[in-house]
């Protein structure tokens, strides 16, 4: 179901393609085509992988519906969150994440200052 759902949407985060490091240096955000991968920067251990569907864009901000597949009780399921990326200056961006945390029963609103490194 998840794969069919993703194939039905046209997604493109191509303007953001590249590797971005969080201000703290802890997380790596990798935009590649219609996907966003979030890794622990030092170990390259995967944290999350999202399929992106652009839902709005203006001069400085792009918003995506983001879908992540994961296992819950031995079955594949997915969650949808909103990811918004705003260009600040030079190669600096603000990435905002809004949605339900997949491992806990609460909503998450996180913000990361990220910088293009590659």
């Amino acid at each position: 179901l998840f794969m069919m759902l993703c194939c039905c949407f046209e997604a493109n985060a191509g303007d953001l393609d590249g590797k971005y490091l969080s201000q703290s240096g802890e997380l790596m955000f990798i935009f590649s085509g219609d996907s966003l991968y979030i890794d622990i920067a030092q170990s390259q251990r995967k944290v999350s992988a999202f399929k992106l569907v652009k839902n709005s864009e203006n001069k400085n901000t792009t918003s995506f519906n983001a879908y992540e597949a994961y296992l819950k009780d031995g079955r594949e399921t997915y969650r949808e969150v909103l990811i918004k990326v705003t260009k600040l200056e030079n190669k600096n961006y603000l990435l905002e994440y809004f949605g339900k945390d997949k491992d806990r029963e609460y909503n998450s609103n996180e913000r990361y200052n990220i910088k293009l490194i590659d």
Side-chain angles (χ1 to χ4, degrees), residues 9-16 33-34 51-58 61-67 82-83:
F9 297 109
E10 181 178 334
N12 186 1
D15 297 344
L16 295 167
D34 64 353
K51 196 69 139 169
L52 301 175
V53 178
K54 190 182 296 185
N55 65 20
S56 70
E57 180 176 31
N58 63 37
T61 302
T62 305
S63 295
F64 302 94
N65 290 341
Y67 301 90
L82 175 68
I83 293 177

Side-chain angles (χ1 to χ4, degrees), residues 45-48 68-72 77 79 97 99-108:
R45 186 174 61 95
K46 299 265 184 249
V47 175
S48 295
E68 180 181 28
Y70 66 98
L71 292 177
K72 183 175 183 176
T77 188
R79 68 179 175 137
Y97 163 100
K100 192 171 190 108
D101 191 293
K102 72 180 176 190
D103 299 321
R104 297 173 192 88
E105 293 299 318
Y106 68 88
N107 286 332
S108 180

Side-chain angles (χ1 to χ4, degrees), residues 27-31 35-40 44-51 66-70 79 81 83 97 100-103 110 112:
L27 295 175
M28 178 80 62
F29 296 86
I30 304 165
F31 286 90
S35 299
L36 168 62
Y37 304 96
I38 304 173
D39 298 347
I40 303 294
Q44 301 296 308
R45 186 174 61 95
K46 299 265 184 249
V47 175
S48 295
F50 293 98
K51 196 69 139 169
Y67 301 90
E68 180 181 28
Y70 66 98
R79 68 179 175 137
V81 300
I83 293 177
Y97 163 100
K100 192 171 190 108
D101 191 293
K102 72 180 176 190
D103 299 321
E110 300 177 31
Y112 300 96

